[in-house]
Amino acid sequence: MTKPVRIEGLLIEYWLTLMTAPNDMTQTPATKSKKKIHLLPLLILAGGVMAFFVLGGADYLSFETLRDNRQDILAWTADHYLLAVLGFVLAYHVAVMFSLPGAVWLSLTGGFLFGTVEATAYIVVGATAGAVGIFLLARYALYDFFHARVGKALVKMEKGFQEDALSYMLVLRLVPIFPFWLVNLVPALLGVKLSTYTIGTFVGIIPGAFVYASVGSGLGAVFDEGRTPDLGVIFSPEVIAPIIGLALLAMVPVLYKKMKQRGKA
């Protein structure tokens, strides 16, 4: 019986493989160059995460910071709207690409600054761009290692996922069961086309982005009342039920194909 593939364990093993690989005279210049190139994306990501915490980025991700400075932030946004939008999209892109904490906080801030509809659009653009960035880095740095390490088990999983990749991508993005960073990595390792991944990500995150942006748009009233916004709203029945309905709808092509195959058997 084939053992389940553990993505986290393989990531750790990949890192240790790169860090402990022998650097002897039998390696050709091309081999050494390839190892350096494959290590570079991981060093960039690790450096970005380290810089975020060292520079105190996490200290700014709080409702208290937004509440205490909201008048100045709103005034600056009104005076420099285009720059504020570009800065927000870029911040979301970086947060997703480097898997930094605070994406939910950014979504709420976007709703607070720009309104529900506009913030949803900016969130989707920034998050999709960041997800595409980490997808490309993961495919470049990890794809060969995972296939060499897992072998036939990954090839079988890859084939099954690719047959209905868009449906699976929509389900993974719509239903917040798995961590966002993990959903960014797995399709890259399973050989999903970039276009399919991008479309699935763009469309699939719209409902969640809309919910959080709508909560953020009401932060002013929440602050005035001295309360903290309820972030569990996305899991309330009236919100999660339609999202699950969309996920089930996305799975219709997969179920239809399987039923059709059984009918021919």
Side-chain angles (χ1 to χ4, degrees), residues 96-249:
V96 172
M97 185 168 177
F98 287 86
S99 300
L100 300 175
V104 171
W105 187 88
L106 283 173
S107 298
L108 296 172
T109 301
F112 177 70
L113 296 177
F114 308 114
T116 301
V117 177
E118 292 86 348
T120 299
Y122 305 150
I123 291 168
V124 170
V125 171
T128 302
V132 168
I134 190 63
F135 173 90
L136 293 174
L137 284 177
R139 172 161 292 178
Y140 181 72
L142 302 173
Y143 184 84
D144 291 339
F145 170 80
F146 273 69
H147 272 255
R149 176 64 180 81
V150 182
K152 294 181 179 180
L154 188 59
V155 172
K156 185 177 180 180
M157 189 189 307
E158 182 180 58
K159 182 179 179 181
F161 197 94
Q162 287 181 6
E163 288 180 353
D164 300 284
L166 183 57
S167 294
Y168 289 130
M169 280 301 309
L170 288 173
V171 172
L172 290 172
R173 291 304 192 190
L174 284 167
V175 184
I177 298 177
F178 302 101
F180 196 81
W181 65 267
L182 187 60
V183 181
N184 291 339
L185 288 177
V186 172
L189 304 178
L190 296 180
V192 174
K193 292 182 179 179
L194 177 59
S195 58
T196 302
Y197 174 85
T198 303
I199 294 172
T201 298
F202 186 91
V203 176
I205 64 177
I206 290 176
F210 181 84
V211 172
Y212 282 118
S214 63
V215 173
S217 67
L219 280 181
V222 172
F223 290 150
D224 290 338
E225 296 174 5
R227 297 186 291 109
T228 301
D230 181 14
L231 301 185
V233 64
I234 194 170
F235 295 105
S236 62
E238 58 270 22
V239 173
I240 197 66
I243 293 178
I244 292 177
L246 290 173
L248 293 175
L249 186 62

